Amino acid sequence: PFYDRSTHEHSNPRAGDGRARTSMTVSEGNYPSGEVGFVTEMFADSLRRRQSAKWFSSMIGKKTSLEVLKKMMTHVLGPAHIRVTEYEPGQYTRWFLAWTFERPAGDAASAKAPMAPGTDQSFTVTLQQVVADP
């Protein structure tokens, strides 16, 4: 996961198991507002580029981040446009979060209509709104 330097989160060094690897630098592991901030920016970018791919995705490392991001994306797109799967490589759990602007199959009542391409509609996400919303 990405860490938020302002909350004093940090990555613990990995215990050596004899494998060659490259360590993550402090600047590579930090992002404003951490993992939620990084994926929220990806989501905003995907809104601007929704015609360039059918699905957008990110690997999530913290369950608290996953819950905040799912709530925000569901609010904007509707639950039929969001998919989550759990991945357990060894002793850690990660989540794969994917979203689409494509119309869901069938008559999914839980889907919101995506914004029409070429419209002047805009979208802004502020983390204070996402985190503070109960």
Side-chain angles (χ1 to χ4, degrees), residues 36 64 67-76 112 123 125-134:
V36 171
T64 55
E67 296 306 321
V68 169
L69 293 163
K70 271 180 35 182
K71 184 175 184 178
M72 182 257 310
M73 290 180 184
T74 300
H75 176 74
V76 174
K112 292 184 177 181
F123 178 79
V125 173
T126 60
L127 293 176
Q128 292 78 20
Q129 290 173 335
V130 173
V131 174
D133 190 20

Side-chain angles (χ1 to χ4, degrees), residues 17-34:
D17 59 4
R19 292 184 290 167
R21 67 184 82 203
T22 303
S23 297
M24 173 175 62
T25 66
V26 172
S27 64
E28 290 172 327
N30 287 291
Y31 195 84
S33 299

Side-chain angles (χ1 to χ4, degrees), residues 55-91:
W55 284 92
F56 298 86
S57 63
S58 182
M59 184 75 69
I60 308 296
K62 294 169 60 180
K63 191 166 188 173
T64 55
S65 297
L66 175 68
E67 296 306 321
V68 169
L69 293 163
K70 271 180 35 182
K71 184 175 184 178
M72 182 257 310
M73 290 180 184
T74 300
H75 176 74
V76 174
L77 299 174
H81 294 272
I82 312 297
R83 295 290 181 268
V84 176
T85 190
E86 198 170 283
Y87 175 64
E88 296 183 52
Q91 55 185 304

Side-chain angles (χ1 to χ4, degrees), residues 50-51 53-56 77-83 99-117:
R50 62 182 160 264
Q51 299 301 316
K54 288 189 177 193
W55 284 92
F56 298 86
L77 299 174
H81 294 272
I82 312 297
R83 295 290 181 268
W99 62 97
T100 185
F101 299 97
E102 296 284 313
R103 180 172 295 285
D107 60 337
S110 60
K112 292 184 177 181
M115 292 180 275

